[in-house]
Amino acid sequence: FTTTNFATDSKPNIMIVLLESWAAKYTGSFGYPGFGATPNFDKIAEKGIRFTNFYASGSRSVEALQAILTSFPSLKGIPTLGRGFELMQTAQLGALARAQGYQTSFMQSAPRESFHLESVAKAYGFEQYFGMEDFKTRRHHQGPRPAFGWDYEMLMHAGEYFSSLDKPFLSFLF
């Protein structure tokens, strides 16, 4: 792990990946190499920062999104993200990154309007937003397309998109 002096060093690219339903026991980079189910994630994890101790900010994805995007966990009696919370004055991850010279994007493998995330991304200062409709099908998948899409297509799109950028980026991938 190295620190970056943002006043003098070039800025690192930042990719925040929110994963659902991933258990550490199936992930090689968390000490369980026997399954071999996550080779590409494990390569990325070698060069990034992994957090092995954490607290859940809620029991639903939208609660995790709220906590990550605003540093404000879901609390009883306060509306959640996509249901009025975005109207409150809170930190805005995309806007904060843009103020530091980052290009910002928000991607989700689900349909664009799922959880109202297209509007949420805009409200939190992200310049670009991509949803399932924006990703071309790249491989044959078994069975019908899930309602929330395939992560593979989103991640391949992300790689191509990041390669086209000319300055540091912060991207949130769900």
Side-chain angles (χ1 to χ4, degrees):
F1 175 75
T2 60
T3 58
T4 299
N5 179 342
F6 289 108
T8 59
D9 296 344
S10 63
K11 296 177 181 176
N13 292 322
I14 301 170
M15 185 172 65
I16 300 169
V17 182
L18 175 60
L19 301 171
E20 281 190 325
S21 303
W22 275 49
K25 69 181 181 179
Y26 300 119
T27 309
S29 58
F30 282 95
Y32 300 90
F35 289 99
T38 58
N40 293 322
F41 179 83
D42 298 337
K43 286 178 191 174
I44 293 169
E46 286 175 12
K47 297 178 183 176
I49 302 170
R50 289 177 296 119
F51 296 94
T52 57
N53 293 309
F54 56 88
Y55 294 95
S57 58
S59 60
R60 299 186 60 230
S61 303
V62 72
E63 294 167 341
L65 286 164
Q66 177 177 310
I68 294 168
L69 296 175
T70 69
S71 298
F72 199 96
S74 173
L75 299 171
K76 188 174 183 173
I78 296 176
T80 57
L81 194 64
R83 300 202 184 278
F85 181 84
E86 61 280 0
L87 301 175
M88 297 175 64
Q89 294 289 3
T90 61
Q92 300 172 337
L93 182 61
L96 292 170
R98 286 176 47 213
Q100 295 297 315
Y102 281 86
Q103 290 178 291
T104 59
S105 61
F106 189 113
M107 301 182 195
Q108 71 164 333
S109 60
R112 291 179 70 88
E113 282 300 317
S114 178
F115 293 120
H116 309 286
L117 291 185
E118 186 168 13
S119 298
V120 168
K122 184 177 181 180
Y124 286 107
F126 288 91
E127 297 168 282
Q128 295 291 323
Y129 177 82
F130 302 96
M132 180 187 349
E133 298 87 343
D134 301 307
F135 311 133
K136 62 183 174 187
T137 301
R138 297 166 185 266
R139 62 191 298 196
H140 176 72
H141 298 282
Q142 297 291 325
R145 183 180 196 140
F148 292 109
W150 298 106
D151 292 338
Y152 180 84
E153 277 76 11
M154 178 189 68
L155 294 170
M156 293 298 103
H157 175 86
E160 290 172 359
Y161 176 72
F162 298 154
S163 296
S164 74
L165 300 178
D166 60 357
K167 64 181 181 178
F169 66 83
L170 177 139
S171 188
F172 186 89
L173 292 89
F174 174 43

